[in-house]
Amino acid sequence: MNKSDYITLVNSKLPDGGNIPSTDHRDTMHTDANSVLELVYGDSISDSETIESHTTSNSNFDYDITLHKTGNTNIIIGKFTANNSVSSTSTIFTITNSDFFSNAILSYATGVTSGSPNIIPIYIQNSVLKIDSSIVAGEGFKFSIIYKSLN
């Protein structure tokens, strides 16, 4: 089932003539940006240290990410590069959009360097994505982290 199938189903099952106008039903199901359909099949959001529409940069890192939320499951896929040598528990970025805040449980993943076996542990807690190891300036990693959202 995709968005189009779901919209067709809603439109066929909520004909005009009820006590609540069918347009109101449609708004709650698929038309409004906060509809059930958008919660289930929401679009991905891109962000970076230069855009900062859903995150706030830590000046020690450049990053390019895609955020996606389905129900209460969030996924962040991206890459980051250290601008300076940084120590363990350094913040890569802080999420400012509360839809993507993590529950209080730590969620771990690993970052991988292209063409090298180097990996680094990363984690998210609340609204902050951090590294869990020291890295040197210019070192970059790709990552994917899946976690449960607070909201």
Side-chain angles (χ1 to χ4, degrees):
M1 182 184 269
N2 60 37
K3 282 185 179 181
S4 179
D5 294 336
Y6 194 73
I7 290 169
T8 301
L9 175 66
V10 169
N11 287 336
S12 68
K13 296 294 181 182
L14 295 172
D16 290 330
N19 290 336
I20 299 173
S22 60
T23 54
D24 290 346
H25 285 283
R26 290 183 185 113
D27 283 348
T28 62
M29 299 304 287
H30 66 76
T31 306
D32 189 271
N34 293 317
S35 68
V36 172
L37 184 64
E38 291 303 322
L39 293 174
V40 176
Y41 293 102
D43 294 328
S44 295
I45 299 167
S46 296
D47 208 353
S48 69
E49 82 283 349
T50 56
I51 298 171
E52 291 190 323
S53 60
H54 299 280
T55 60
T56 300
S57 174
N58 175 318
S59 60
N60 289 324
F61 294 93
D62 289 342
Y63 61 91
D64 186 16
I65 59 169
T66 301
L67 301 108
H68 185 79
K69 181 173 184 169
T70 301
N72 69 345
T73 302
N74 292 334
I75 302 170
I76 303 175
I77 300 169
K79 59 185 178 180
F80 62 89
T81 303
N83 294 326
N84 308 295
S85 293
V86 292
S87 61
S88 180
T89 71
S90 292
T91 298
I92 301 169
F93 57 80
T94 302
I95 298 169
T96 56
N97 181 336
S98 63
D99 286 345
F100 293 97
F101 286 1
S102 170
N103 61 11
I105 299 169
L106 286 171
S107 296
Y108 280 91
T110 54
V112 180
T113 301
S114 299
S116 170
N118 292 343
I119 62 170
I120 184 173
I122 62 169
Y123 65 94
I124 189 163
Q125 185 175 28
N126 301 321
S127 62
V128 182
L129 184 73
K130 294 185 174 191
I131 60 171
D132 204 15
S133 181
S134 298
I135 60 175
V136 298
E139 202 168 9
F141 296 87
K142 294 180 180 180
F143 70 97
S144 175
I145 189 166
I146 301 170
Y147 61 96
K148 295 294 181 188
S149 64
L150 180 63
N151 301 316

